[in-house]
Amino acid sequence: MTNINLLQSALNAASLRQSVITNNIANAETPGYKAKQVVFEDILKQHLNNQTSNFVGKTTDPRHFPIGDSSDLPAPQVVEDDSTVMQNNGNNVDVDQEMTNMAKNALWFNSLSKQMNNQFQQLSIAITGRSS
Amino acid sequence: MNITGVGTSPININQNPFQKVQSSNAKTSFSNVIQGYLQNVDSTVKQSDDLTTKLATGQIDNVQDVMIASEKAKLALQLTVSVRDKAVEAYQNIMQMQI
């Protein structure tokens, strides 16, 4: 079940990244616009690495100290890159790079959704007990 | 030019979940064999899950490995369910037999 949640949040991140990239491309000529990108994979990896033990303390009050790591997955973050300048008007959108990122993101989304489909099929096989 | 035939030797596929059980021990009981099969299926599914996690965290460079692993896991699960169904069917046939 955790894999389905994992895939769901990854798909959400891919969708968000798609809209951020299209936003960047749309603003490729806007003066002063800075390109944004979505950071998700590294945050998720860090989160998963921190989950060394399955022992998680139940917190019934927001003031309680968390024991172990909370089970909710991290949300993707939008980061603005203002370190570079591509054009004279302060814009730093590199359209070639954005197109490459978009193709990569589409591939990632496709494989994630395929995996999601496969997970549901496995669950369905296990539930119905019929190998169809 | 000689063209060699396809040959009759079977094709060996690595990591076939249903061929890993050693049958050298003649006294292997049926339950041991089934348990070995089930452990292989379990490890196949776990490997697929591991690769799925890696795909979500962006550590995968070749997507085909993930797809192949997940298809393998699905097929192993389907085969397990089919074998289980056949075994139950055989049991029920025997139990309903008129003596």
Side-chain angles (χ1 to χ4, degrees):
Chain A
M1 222 35 203
T2 52
N3 247 334
I4 288 179
N5 293 337
L6 200 72
L7 285 172
Q8 189 180 7
S9 61
L11 281 168
N12 283 338
S15 164
L16 176 69
R17 181 171 292 154
Q18 176 75 19
S19 56
V20 164
I21 289 171
T22 43
N23 196 21
N24 282 344
I25 293 173
N27 285 298
E29 302 293 332
T30 310
Y33 180 81
K34 297 294 184 189
K36 296 178 180 61
Q37 48 183 332
V38 174
V39 180
F40 176 70
E41 285 100 325
D42 289 336
I43 304 176
L44 182 65
K45 201 166 93 182
Q46 212 171 8
H47 175 84
L48 290 178
N49 284 340
N50 285 341
Q51 277 184 328
T52 47
S53 72
N54 292 324
F55 181 76
V56 177
K58 185 177 172 65
T59 53
T60 53
D61 192 282
R63 288 169 295 178
H64 284 169
F65 282 114
I67 301 172
D69 207 342
S70 61
S71 59
D72 36 338
L73 294 164
Q77 289 174 6
V78 181
V79 178
E80 200 177 70
D81 178 24
D82 52 0
S83 60
T84 57
V85 173
M86 280 290 289
Q87 297 174 23
N88 280 333
N89 56 10
N91 191 312
N92 70 344
V93 177
D94 185 353
V95 178
D96 291 341
Q97 196 187 3
E98 299 295 333
M99 296 306 267
T100 319
N101 283 339
M102 192 155 77
K104 191 181 167 189
N105 191 48
L107 183 63
W108 193 53
F109 187 92
N110 271 338
S111 41
L112 280 177
S113 59
K114 262 216 156 65
Q115 288 301 105
M116 191 73 155
N117 196 11
N118 221 313
Q119 291 276 327
F120 278 126
Q121 275 177 0
Q122 282 186 20
L123 275 182
S124 157
I125 291 167
I127 290 169
T128 59
R130 235 174 294 122
S131 55
S132 58
Chain B
M1 191 175 85
N2 284 333
I3 298 174
T4 55
V6 178
T8 54
S9 61
I11 301 166
N12 285 324
I13 301 171
N14 286 334
Q15 295 180 333
N16 187 344
F18 292 95
Q19 278 185 349
K20 276 185 185 171
V21 177
Q22 285 121 13
S23 58
S24 59
N25 191 358
K27 288 185 178 176
T28 323
S29 70
F30 180 69
S31 67
N32 280 343
V33 175
I34 292 292
Q35 201 174 7
Y37 286 158
L38 287 180
Q39 275 168 2
N40 286 334
V41 173
D42 188 44
S43 71
T44 310
V45 173
K46 273 184 182 149
Q47 194 189 0
S48 154
D49 281 355
D50 196 37
L51 281 173
T52 307
T53 312
K54 276 189 179 162
L55 177 73
T57 51
Q59 302 174 63
I60 292 290
D61 292 330
N62 38 4
V63 190
Q64 70 272 22
D65 285 351
V66 188
M67 294 297 155
I68 291 169
S70 66
E71 284 300 323
K72 264 186 197 169
K74 199 175 80 182
L75 275 180
L77 204 62
Q78 279 181 347
L79 183 55
T80 311
V81 169
S82 289
V83 169
R84 199 256 336 243
D85 286 352
K86 288 288 175 193
V88 171
E89 197 185 316
Y91 170 78
Q92 280 176 347
N93 276 340
I94 292 170
M95 290 311 281
Q96 289 166 3
M97 202 180 283
Q98 298 285 336
I99 303 173

